[in-house]
Amino acid sequence: MSQFGTKKCRRRADAGGLVHLPPNSDFLSCKELVLPWLSPLELANVSGTCKVLSRACASITQRRSLDASRGLEKFSIPFVNSIDPVPYSYFHYAPSQLLHSLDRQPWGSIGGRPSLPDSPNHLYFETVSDSVTLGCSCERCDNGRSCPCLRLDGLEGMDAECGPNCKCELDCGNRLTQGGISVKLKIVRVAGKGWGLFADQPIREGQFICEYTGELIMTKEAQRRQQVYDQLARRGHFSSALLVVREHLPSGMACLRLNIDATRIGNVARFINHSCDGGNLSTVLIRSIGALLPRLCLFSSKYIGQDEELSFSYGESRPRPVSDSSLCFCGSSFCSGSLPSEHT
């Protein structure tokens, strides 16, 4: 930080070692542009340099705790913690799938939204072929009852929606999952479990909650990362959010495998905990006419009351090294004692 100060500034330190930078310091004048880009550790290091920056960093931390989505969703999604002093969980937010990671993303800025290298629907609207135009010509799809895009509907575990080449608008009744999160949620610190996603309003049965987003990675990379995550888990207090989804094709002869890693980048779905009894959410693969890949979306499988935790089943369990992060604390009568893990 010395390049931003002066010799006079460095001489003016109080008994606690905090430096008093002048109001016109180059760094202070652009602190609101710089600080939101810093990681928690970097923010803590900057916070210890002077009183002005200490207050600015505290303000950034407060704003981060008020909205995990960084303004990218319709509603703010706050962190709530009455268990310990941890104000929030640090990760990069992505409203939709990404084909790559993000090195930096601002969080805690005053107003505005962070810009992503991909628009929120970039990957989702990637078409199968530029030479093929697939989509309906409906002005509105009458809630999907007569839309030809529904010809994909009815396949086991999969629903269909309008796609990138359809003429209908985003508020069309057959684009239910394309407008982002439309219910109020909060991320709550739970004793013995860490962070969990909770309803911040009553949610009716069958309501769309969110998409499970993250980095889309190849199977070989998923296997490599899972080995690293398992090693970290054995050291304790680490939990990955790598989800493997298989879409069985109509022929039954093959399946499409999606590896979605929300460990470093994703949305609030990464905080949804496992429940051995299936929880109160169901997973549905959503395909759209003209879209390259399906999306994994979560719906309420029953009525969910305000302040109730959201959960779903991660899948079947397999033997894995015992660690703090492999134990299941769902508390259901069907609890197996360990979290499911994919045969990568």
Side-chain angles (χ1 to χ4, degrees):
M1 291 304 166
S2 60
Q3 67 267 32
F4 295 110
T6 65
K7 292 182 179 179
K8 179 179 180 181
C9 299
R10 290 194 294 272
R11 288 196 301 267
R12 296 178 56 209
D14 60 21
L18 291 179
V19 176
H20 297 266
L21 294 178
N24 61 348
S25 167
D26 291 339
F27 185 76
L28 293 183
S29 64
C30 61
K31 63 182 184 298
E32 287 295 339
L33 298 176
V34 176
L35 296 180
W37 292 88
L38 303 185
S39 69
L41 179 58
E42 293 167 337
L43 208 60
N45 290 336
V46 171
S47 178
T49 59
C50 74
K51 289 185 175 180
V52 173
L53 289 178
S54 179
R55 289 193 295 269
C57 290
S59 179
I60 295 290
T61 298
Q62 172 67 10
R63 290 199 290 268
R64 287 181 175 181
S65 68
L66 293 177
D67 187 13
S69 76
R70 298 157 171 76
L72 292 170
E73 301 290 356
K74 294 179 180 177
F75 302 110
S76 297
I77 305 174
F79 289 91
V80 179
N81 186 359
S82 59
I83 304 298
D84 54 45
V86 180
Y88 61 88
S89 176
Y90 187 75
F91 67 106
H92 293 150
Y93 199 90
S96 63
Q97 311 291 13
L98 290 179
L99 291 171
H100 51 78
S101 182
L102 295 175
D103 294 328
R104 294 280 180 175
Q105 185 186 44
W107 188 10
S109 305
I110 298 178
R113 294 154 55 104
S115 59
L116 294 174
D118 299 302
S119 64
N121 287 317
H122 171 77
L123 180 62
Y124 168 62
F125 284 149
E126 194 79 37
T127 55
V128 175
S129 172
D130 292 336
S131 61
V132 179
T133 301
L134 299 173
C136 68
S137 58
C138 312
E139 292 184 2
R140 286 193 61 81
C141 299
D142 194 23
N143 294 323
R145 288 193 293 270
S146 60
C147 179
C149 294
L150 284 179
R151 62 178 174 268
L152 288 177
D153 204 1
L155 296 178
E156 184 178 356
M158 185 177 71
D159 285 348
E161 291 186 349
C162 294
N165 296 315
C166 296
K167 293 186 177 180
C168 52
E169 299 293 334
L170 189 60
D171 62 352
C172 163
N174 198 32
R175 295 183 184 270
L176 178 63
T177 67
Q178 298 175 34
I181 299 173
S182 58
V183 295
K184 293 182 179 180
L185 305 169
K186 57 186 175 182
I187 303 165
V188 180
R189 190 79 162 175
V190 183
K193 293 173 63 175
W195 296 106
L197 189 64
F198 283 68
D200 206 18
Q201 66 170 70
I203 300 174
R204 67 179 184 275
E205 181 179 352
Q207 193 163 356
F208 170 65
I209 304 300
C210 63
E211 178 184 351
Y212 195 100
T213 72
E215 295 178 74
L216 274 181
I217 56 178
M218 302 296 290
T219 297
K220 186 175 182 179
E221 174 63 11
Q223 294 171 340
R224 186 195 69 80
R225 291 190 187 188
Q226 190 60 61
Q227 291 178 351
V228 174
Y229 295 158
D230 285 344
Q231 291 175 359
L232 292 172
R234 284 193 288 271
R235 300 173 189 172
H237 304 291
F238 176 84
S239 180
S240 69
L242 174 57
L243 192 67
V244 177
V245 182
R246 287 184 171 88
E247 178 190 19
H248 293 277
L249 302 181
S251 65
M253 303 299 293
C255 70
L256 173 66
R257 170 173 168 152
L258 298 176
N259 306 291
I260 309 172
D261 190 1
T263 305
R264 292 186 63 251
I265 177 170
N267 66 353
V268 294
R270 68 193 297 278
F271 295 104
I272 302 177
N273 286 315
H274 164 77
S275 180
C276 292
D277 66 1
N280 49 22
L281 301 180
S282 59
T283 58
V284 179
L285 281 174
I286 303 290
R287 266 201 180 274
S288 299
I289 295 296
L292 179 62
L293 297 172
R295 296 176 299 126
L296 183 68
C297 295
L298 295 155
F299 292 80
S300 55
S301 58
K302 59 184 73 173
Y303 171 81
I304 301 173
Q306 185 166 350
D307 300 324
E308 185 177 343
E309 183 175 7
L310 306 182
S311 61
F312 71 100
S313 173
Y314 291 176
E316 298 180 359
S317 299
R318 70 171 173 88
R320 61 186 300 182
V322 177
S323 68
D324 290 343
S325 63
S326 67
L327 299 177
C328 180
F329 299 97
C330 70
S332 78
S333 57
F334 301 95
C335 184
S336 65
S338 62
L339 293 173
S341 183
E342 169 67 25
H343 288 275
T344 54

